[in-house]
Amino acid sequence: MRYRLAVVFALAALLGGCSRSEPRPAPAAPQPTSASPTPTPAPTPSTSVAAPLPGFVVLTDHDPRIHADIRYATPHNFVGRPITGYREPLCLLTRQAAEALRRVQDAALAGGHSLKVYDCYRPQPAVDDFVAWSKRPDEQQTKAEFYPDLAKNRLFVDGYIGAPTAHSRGSTVDLTLVDEPAANQPPYRVGQPLVACTAPRGQRFADNSIDMGTGFDCFDPRAHTADPRVTGTPRDNRRLLQRLMTDAGFVNYDREWWHYSLRDEPYPDTFFAAPVARSSVG
């Protein structure tokens, strides 16, 4: 009997993890610091398929000072090819999120830094693409860089990829800080040797981000914002980004140092599907 109960509990935990989405910012909640969040149940998406996206802007039009490196429109991401729904390498956000990032940019520039965004609004078809990819175990072209020490079938269970995702609501952004003026970043070449995202800064992909301890989209506990193994300058840089974003009304997802959601987002229950394209913002 004891053995049967253990099996039942194990299955329940696994199924619960598979349905997990990213935690939703709570207006009265303190800034999360634990490396093991207790996420809220996954909401049922109220998906809008119509373009233009209501009240959205192209971030770099709204604030041209902010740099953009939209990885999902390129082959340099954990899937290894451009993702469905990313028709153009643009950062689309709700106007409220873009205004908040303008304030972050002002504060960052005062300290000699600038923001660089990796991903912003993510259409629901892109999330569906991630889910379909996760069910094809043979497609692991970029494992050596993005999840070198993690089995692919753990990416959703361990909370590194969410379905649904807050990105589809339009007020969540993946970003970093770069020195200003920003250094040139070598282009990614398909087929180039891959290095683990957890390798020292001088060895992993030559991103022009200041040192955050891991690369972007690094599916490893060392990417958790407060992971105790990240010390010195990378820890200070993460804290700087967190302070700048928190002061402007964003909340960090504590398993990813780069992931922030606007606390008072305008569409907390809507998951949009229009493609990432200038035509989607009207």
Side-chain angles (χ1 to χ4, degrees):
M1 175 64 70
R2 182 177 302 173
Y3 172 78
R4 290 180 179 176
L5 287 173
V7 171
V8 169
F9 288 140
L11 287 173
L14 178 60
L15 292 173
C18 288
S19 65
R20 176 167 56 200
S21 65
E22 299 149 23
R24 182 189 303 272
Q31 176 68 20
T33 57
S34 170
S36 300
T38 302
T40 56
T44 300
S46 172
T47 303
S48 168
V49 297
L53 295 165
F56 280 55
V57 298
V58 177
L59 177 65
T60 50
D61 291 350
H62 195 73
D63 191 338
R65 304 170 300 170
I66 298 176
H67 302 270
D69 182 7
I70 308 301
R71 297 286 181 86
Y72 296 147
T74 78
H76 191 205
N77 57 63
F78 64 89
V79 175
R81 56 167 171 76
I83 304 303
T84 299
Y86 284 79
R87 296 182 183 173
E88 299 176 59
L90 296 173
C91 170
L92 308 185
L93 286 172
T94 62
R95 185 173 297 276
Q96 292 89 332
E99 282 291 336
L101 283 184
R102 188 201 294 272
R103 297 194 295 274
V104 179
Q105 179 72 355
D106 289 339
L109 286 172
H113 299 104
S114 177
L115 294 177
K116 183 175 85 166
V117 292
Y118 294 114
D119 190 39
C120 303
Y121 162 68
R122 183 182 308 164
Q124 186 61 39
V127 180
D128 298 339
D129 194 5
F130 289 162
V131 172
W133 169 83
S134 73
K135 297 176 182 178
R136 298 191 289 267
D138 294 339
E139 294 185 17
Q140 302 201 50
Q141 300 95 309
T142 61
K143 175 177 170 58
E145 179 176 359
F146 293 99
Y147 51 107
D149 301 315
L150 186 70
K152 180 179 177 179
N153 61 9
R154 299 295 307 179
L155 294 179
F156 277 91
V157 176
D158 290 355
Y160 291 107
I161 309 175
T165 175
H167 280 278
S168 298
R169 304 196 296 261
S171 297
T172 291
V173 60
D174 294 339
L175 79 176
T176 188
L177 292 168
V178 299
D179 289 325
E180 190 61 41
N184 290 330
Q185 178 174 296
Y188 173 77
R189 304 185 312 276
V190 176
Q192 72 183 59
L194 300 179
V195 179
C197 56
T198 54
R201 184 187 185 195
Q203 298 176 23
R204 62 180 184 261
F205 177 74
D207 191 320
N208 61 0
S209 169
I210 63 176
D211 190 3
M212 294 292 186
T214 74
F216 164 63
D217 257 4
C218 189
F219 302 142
D220 186 276
R222 279 164 285 193
H224 295 181
T225 308
D227 187 273
R229 290 167 294 180
V230 178
T231 60
T233 298
R235 176 192 59 196
D236 293 342
N237 289 340
R238 291 184 184 189
R239 289 176 175 175
L240 172 61
L241 178 62
Q242 189 169 27
R243 177 178 61 79
L244 293 171
M245 295 296 287
T246 301
D247 287 350
F250 288 89
V251 177
N252 175 239
Y253 175 47
D254 62 359
R255 295 194 177 199
E256 298 175 345
W257 59 257
W258 55 83
H259 179 116
Y260 286 85
S261 294
L262 187 66
R263 183 183 298 278
D264 297 322
E265 59 184 291
Y267 301 110
D269 300 306
T270 303
F271 295 77
F272 294 98
V276 176
R278 188 172 294 276
S279 60
S280 292
V281 299

Coordinates of all heavy atoms in Angstrom, one line a residue, residues 32-35 221-231 235 238-239 242 252-257:
P32 N 9.6 38.5 -5.4 CA 10.0 37.1 -5.0 C 11.5 37.0 -5.0 O 12.2 37.6 -5.8 CB 9.4 36.3 -6.2 CG 9.2 37.3 -7.3 CD 9.0 38.6 -6.7
T33 N 12.0 36.2 -4.0 CA 13.4 36.0 -3.9 C 13.8 34.5 -3.9 O 14.9 34.1 -4.1 CB 14.0 36.6 -2.7 OG1 13.3 36.1 -1.5 CG2 13.8 38.2 -2.7
S34 N 12.8 33.6 -3.6 CA 13.1 32.2 -3.5 C 13.4 31.6 -4.9 O 12.9 32.0 -5.9 CB 11.9 31.5 -2.9 OG 12.1 30.1 -3.1
A35 N 14.3 30.6 -4.9 CA 14.7 29.9 -6.1 C 13.6 28.9 -6.5 O 13.7 28.2 -7.5 CB 16.0 29.3 -6.0
P221 N 19.8 25.9 -13.2 CA 19.5 26.6 -11.9 C 20.4 27.8 -11.7 O 20.0 28.8 -11.0 CB 19.8 25.6 -10.8 CG 19.5 24.3 -11.5 CD 20.0 24.5 -12.9
R222 N 21.6 27.9 -12.4 CA 22.4 29.1 -12.2 C 21.8 30.3 -12.9 O 22.3 31.4 -12.6 CB 23.8 28.8 -12.8 CG 24.7 28.0 -11.8 CD 25.9 27.3 -12.5 NE 25.5 26.2 -13.3 CZ 26.3 25.3 -13.8 NH1 27.6 25.5 -13.6 NH2 25.9 24.3 -14.5
A223 N 20.8 30.1 -13.7 CA 20.1 31.3 -14.2 C 19.0 31.8 -13.3 O 18.4 32.9 -13.5 CB 19.4 30.9 -15.5
H224 N 18.7 31.1 -12.2 CA 17.8 31.6 -11.2 C 18.4 32.9 -10.6 O 19.6 33.0 -10.3 CB 17.6 30.6 -10.0 CG 17.0 29.4 -10.4 ND1 16.7 28.4 -9.5 CD2 16.5 28.9 -11.7 CE1 16.1 27.3 -10.2 NE2 16.0 27.7 -11.5
T225 N 17.6 33.9 -10.5 CA 18.0 35.3 -10.2 C 18.9 35.3 -9.0 O 19.9 36.0 -9.0 CB 16.8 36.2 -10.0 OG1 16.0 36.1 -11.2 CG2 17.3 37.7 -9.9
A226 N 18.6 34.6 -7.9 CA 19.3 34.7 -6.7 C 20.1 33.4 -6.4 O 20.4 33.1 -5.3 CB 18.4 34.9 -5.5
D227 N 20.5 32.7 -7.5 CA 21.2 31.4 -7.3 C 22.5 31.8 -6.5 O 23.3 32.6 -6.9 CB 21.6 30.8 -8.6 CG 22.2 29.4 -8.4 OD1 23.5 29.3 -8.2 OD2 21.5 28.4 -8.4
P228 N 22.8 31.1 -5.4 CA 23.9 31.4 -4.5 C 25.3 31.2 -5.2 O 26.3 31.7 -4.7 CB 23.7 30.6 -3.3 CG 22.9 29.4 -3.7 CD 22.0 30.0 -4.8
R229 N 25.3 30.4 -6.2 CA 26.6 30.1 -6.9 C 27.1 31.3 -7.7 O 28.2 31.4 -8.1 CB 26.5 28.9 -7.7 CG 26.4 27.6 -6.9 CD 26.0 26.4 -7.8 NE 24.7 26.6 -8.3 CZ 24.1 25.7 -9.1 NH1 24.7 24.6 -9.5 NH2 22.8 25.9 -9.5
V230 N 26.2 32.2 -8.1 CA 26.5 33.4 -8.8 C 26.9 34.5 -7.9 O 26.1 35.0 -7.1 CB 25.3 33.8 -9.7 CG1 25.7 35.1 -10.5 CG2 24.9 32.7 -10.7
T231 N 28.2 34.9 -7.9 CA 28.7 35.8 -6.9 C 29.4 37.0 -7.7 O 29.5 37.0 -8.9 CB 29.7 35.1 -6.0 OG1 30.7 34.5 -6.8 CG2 29.0 34.0 -5.2
R235 N 26.6 38.8 -9.9 CA 25.5 38.9 -8.9 C 25.1 40.4 -8.7 O 23.9 40.8 -8.7 CB 26.0 38.4 -7.5 CG 25.0 38.6 -6.4 CD 25.6 38.3 -5.0 NE 26.7 39.2 -4.8 CZ 27.7 39.0 -3.9 NH1 27.6 38.0 -3.1 NH2 28.7 39.9 -3.8
R238 N 23.0 41.4 -11.7 CA 21.6 41.0 -11.6 C 20.8 41.9 -10.7 O 19.6 42.2 -10.9 CB 21.6 39.5 -11.2 CG 22.1 38.5 -12.2 CD 21.9 37.1 -11.7 NE 22.5 36.1 -12.6 CZ 22.3 34.8 -12.5 NH1 21.6 34.3 -11.5 NH2 22.9 34.0 -13.4
R239 N 21.4 42.2 -9.6 CA 20.8 43.0 -8.6 C 20.5 44.4 -9.1 O 19.4 45.0 -8.9 CB 21.6 43.1 -7.3 CG 21.6 41.8 -6.5 CD 22.5 41.9 -5.3 NE 22.4 40.7 -4.5 CZ 23.2 40.5 -3.4 NH1 24.1 41.4 -3.0 NH2 23.1 39.4 -2.7
Q242 N 17.5 44.1 -11.5 CA 16.3 43.9 -10.7 C 15.9 45.2 -10.0 O 14.7 45.5 -10.0 CB 16.6 42.8 -9.6 CG 15.3 42.4 -8.9 CD 15.6 41.1 -8.1 OE1 16.7 40.8 -7.6 NE2 14.5 40.3 -7.9
N252 N 10.1 40.3 -11.2 CA 11.0 39.3 -11.8 C 10.4 37.9 -11.6 O 9.8 37.6 -10.5 CB 12.4 39.4 -11.2 CG 13.3 38.3 -11.6 OD1 13.8 37.6 -10.8 ND2 13.6 38.2 -12.9
Y253 N 10.6 37.1 -12.6 CA 10.3 35.6 -12.5 C 11.6 35.0 -12.0 O 12.6 35.0 -12.7 CB 9.9 35.0 -13.8 CG 9.7 33.5 -13.8 CD1 9.0 32.9 -12.8 CD2 10.2 32.8 -14.8 CE1 8.8 31.5 -12.8 CE2 10.1 31.4 -14.9 CZ 9.4 30.8 -13.9 OH 9.2 29.4 -13.9
D254 N 11.7 34.5 -10.7 CA 12.9 34.3 -10.1 C 13.7 33.1 -10.6 O 14.8 32.8 -10.1 CB 12.7 34.2 -8.6 CG 11.8 33.0 -8.1 OD1 11.3 32.3 -9.0 OD2 11.6 32.9 -6.9
R255 N 13.2 32.4 -11.6 CA 14.0 31.3 -12.2 C 14.7 31.8 -13.4 O 15.5 31.0 -14.0 CB 13.0 30.1 -12.6 CG 12.4 29.4 -11.4 CD 11.8 28.1 -11.7 NE 11.3 27.5 -10.5 CZ 11.0 26.2 -10.4 NH1 11.2 25.4 -11.4 NH2 10.6 25.7 -9.2
E256 N 14.5 33.0 -13.8 CA 15.2 33.6 -15.0 C 15.6 35.0 -14.7 O 14.7 35.9 -14.5 CB 14.2 33.6 -16.2 CG 13.8 32.1 -16.6 CD 12.8 32.1 -17.7 OE1 12.2 33.2 -18.0 OE2 12.6 31.0 -18.3
W257 N 16.9 35.3 -14.6 CA 17.3 36.7 -14.3 C 16.8 37.7 -15.3 O 16.8 38.9 -15.0 CB 18.8 36.7 -14.1 CG 19.6 36.3 -15.3 CD1 20.3 35.1 -15.5 CD2 19.9 37.1 -16.5 NE1 21.0 35.1 -16.7 CE2 20.8 36.3 -17.3 CE3 19.6 38.4 -16.9 CZ2 21.2 36.8 -18.5 CZ3 20.1 38.8 -18.1 CH2 20.9 38.0 -18.9

